[in-house]
Amino acid sequence: MFKFLILSFVFFYLIIKVSGFFLRIFLRSATQKATQHYQQQQTRQQYRPTGNANVDIDYVPTETVKASKITKGGEYVDYEEVK
């Protein structure tokens, strides 16, 4: 029984150490990929031309705004100064 406990303790200890090692490798590669992706995004934004030479349209509305939706103003109310 004592031999079984010792072996199971050693087995679980080795599993924890090996999984920690692989977890560190995985996290290191994931952070390197995220860093590369972030740097690529930054370089794309830095070299974007300014001005009207290249116009990018990101949003095209599906339907036009009707004139009835636009408010033309409210009712005119005379202003009287109250003393």
Side-chain angles (χ1 to χ4, degrees):
M1 181 69 175
F2 184 69
K3 191 176 187 180
F4 174 75
L5 289 175
I6 295 284
L7 288 175
S8 61
F9 176 73
V10 169
F11 178 72
F12 285 118
Y13 180 76
L14 289 175
I15 287 177
I16 289 171
K17 289 295 183 181
V18 169
S19 64
F21 175 73
F22 285 120
L23 183 64
R24 271 186 251 123
I25 290 174
F26 173 73
L27 289 176
R28 186 175 299 135
S29 67
T31 54
Q32 286 176 351
K33 286 180 184 179
T35 304
Q36 286 176 348
H37 181 69
Y38 176 74
Q39 288 174 350
Q40 287 174 353
Q41 290 292 337
Q42 290 298 321
T43 56
R44 287 182 192 158
Q45 290 177 357
Q46 287 176 354
Y47 294 115
R48 192 169 195 168
T50 58
N52 293 334
N54 296 324
V55 177
D56 294 332
I57 299 175
D58 294 333
Y59 173 73
V60 178
T62 56
E63 59 184 53
T64 59
V65 178
K66 295 180 182 176
S68 63
K69 290 184 180 179
I70 299 173
T71 58
K72 294 182 180 179
E75 196 176 305
Y76 179 74
V77 177
D78 282 335
Y79 174 77
E80 295 180 11
E81 189 173 330
V82 178
K83 290 185 182 183

